[in-house]
Amino acid sequence: MAGSNKRISYQGEAGANSHVACLEAYPDFEPVACPTFEDAAAAVKSGQVRYAMIPIENTLAGRVADVHLLLPTAKLYIVGEYFLPINFELLGPRGASLEAITDIYSHVHALGQCRRIIKELGATAHVAGDTAGAARQVAEWADPTKAALAPALAAKIYDLDVLARNCEDAAHNTTRFIILAAEPEDADPGSGEYVTTFIFRVRNVPAALYKALGGFATNGVNMTKLESYQIKGTFSATVFYADIEGHPNDRSVRLALEELSFFSSELNILGTYRANPNRAELEKRADESAG
């Protein structure tokens, strides 16, 4: 059944960056728009779609709010990742000119990442729910003084003119997406690189986090991400989200996870999946920038 289900859900309206990621990563799948991340996940659980494409972090804006809270409760598995370079175009109604634009609409992150063109035009920025939704509104208004910052795909969908291309201030703007499925698709470790993602909560003992993470250092396992977030509306209940390089079947990873579980009150592996080829290139670029 799953093999014949060639549909993939995403949060947002048609033309959003998540829609672009679906088309690029799964060109033979039908993208299904959902109002919220929870709806996109629910579509997987119900069998309406096979996968969900969920943004988890951006090189400029940081982690995507609420997604870390969704993952532990969704009861889904991470089966892949995808890196999408983010490009924003300034879109206006047919016949509009760049000089006439006085108001620009988009998602708050897009507006923050395209400050230069907003300043150059002397335009007023307006926050919209998402980039594609802003493009749809601009098309509906048909006002030559209003424009939207959105992906090029939105221009095609909503029949808008591209008034300016590549409006983003930084060329290295990239969003990492994770692909969720109802069942794990763990391939046996072999050639290629793997990523294992998990969440954990340490026991309430002194130096528990230090001891819990020590196994990764002693076993030579590289941890590429470690983030904390609060749960249940308190400042004391902290859950950690982590990515490591490797597969649980690797001896070093297995030993590190065993040591982690000893010092943790909860450990939930969300998925093991092949590292996207663009991961190494992005890490190299980050190292060069830091140097």
Side-chain angles (χ1 to χ4, degrees):
M1 175 68 179
S4 61
N5 184 353
K6 290 197 170 186
R7 307 180 83 210
I8 180 168
S9 62
Y10 66 93
Q11 183 276 328
E13 297 193 37
N17 280 310
S18 294
H19 186 187
V20 177
C22 291
L23 293 174
E24 291 189 5
Y26 294 93
D28 56 340
F29 276 51
E30 176 191 351
V32 177
C34 297
T36 67
F37 292 127
E38 289 78 9
D39 291 330
V44 177
K45 293 192 70 173
S46 68
Q48 180 186 355
V49 301
R50 183 175 179 182
Y51 298 130
M53 180 73 71
I54 304 294
I56 192 166
E57 58 188 325
N58 176 269
T59 51
L60 296 181
R63 73 183 184 188
V64 177
D66 299 334
V67 170
H68 291 72
L69 299 177
L70 167 69
L71 292 177
T73 59
K75 306 298 182 184
L76 299 175
Y77 299 89
I78 303 175
V79 297
E81 64 177 353
Y82 189 74
F83 293 87
L84 179 71
I86 302 299
N87 300 110
F88 292 112
E89 325 295 348
L90 187 66
L91 311 180
R94 289 291 184 184
S97 66
L98 190 62
E99 296 75 17
I101 299 302
T102 59
D103 296 89
I104 296 177
Y105 299 77
S106 196
H107 187 273
V108 62
H109 286 168
L111 294 172
Q113 294 164 18
C114 301
R115 297 179 188 274
R116 188 189 313 116
I117 192 167
I118 296 173
K119 183 178 180 180
E120 288 175 353
L121 295 176
T124 301
H126 302 271
V127 176
D130 64 24
T131 56
R136 176 183 53 77
Q137 284 186 313
V138 165
E140 292 173 353
W141 291 329
D143 184 336
T145 67
K146 301 183 186 301
L149 285 163
L153 177 62
K156 297 180 181 179
I157 293 175
Y158 302 110
D159 193 30
L160 296 169
D161 279 347
V162 177
L163 306 180
R165 297 188 181 276
N166 301 325
C167 299
E168 61 279 1
D169 297 334
H172 60 275
N173 188 359
T174 303
T175 294
R176 177 185 176 224
F177 292 81
I178 52 175
I179 296 118
L180 301 179
E183 299 293 337
E185 296 181 359
D186 298 345
D188 291 332
S191 59
E193 303 295 329
Y194 285 85
V195 177
T196 296
T197 297
F198 54 90
I199 57 174
F200 67 98
R201 191 188 312 182
V202 294
R203 293 163 52 194
N204 189 22
V205 296
L209 181 60
Y210 173 80
K211 295 174 182 176
L213 298 181
F216 296 98
T218 56
N219 289 285
V221 177
N222 187 29
M223 181 172 286
T224 59
K225 175 176 287 297
L226 177 65
E227 293 185 343
S228 64
Y229 58 97
Q230 311 303 126
I231 59 172
K232 298 179 181 178
T234 71
F235 290 103
S236 58
T238 302
V239 172
F240 294 90
Y241 169 98
D243 288 338
I244 60 172
E245 294 178 351
H247 194 290
N249 287 356
D250 299 338
R251 183 175 183 274
S252 58
V253 173
R254 185 178 72 252
L255 292 174
L257 290 174
E258 287 176 359
E259 190 163 342
L260 172 66
S261 64
F262 181 79
F263 291 103
S264 299
S265 60
E266 176 186 343
L267 172 60
N268 180 13
I269 295 180
L270 301 177
T272 297
Y273 46 96
R274 287 193 179 276
N276 187 277
N278 290 331
R279 169 181 283 269
E281 178 60 29
L282 287 169
E283 290 175 354
K284 178 182 176 182
R285 200 180 304 165
D287 290 341
E288 291 173 349
S289 298

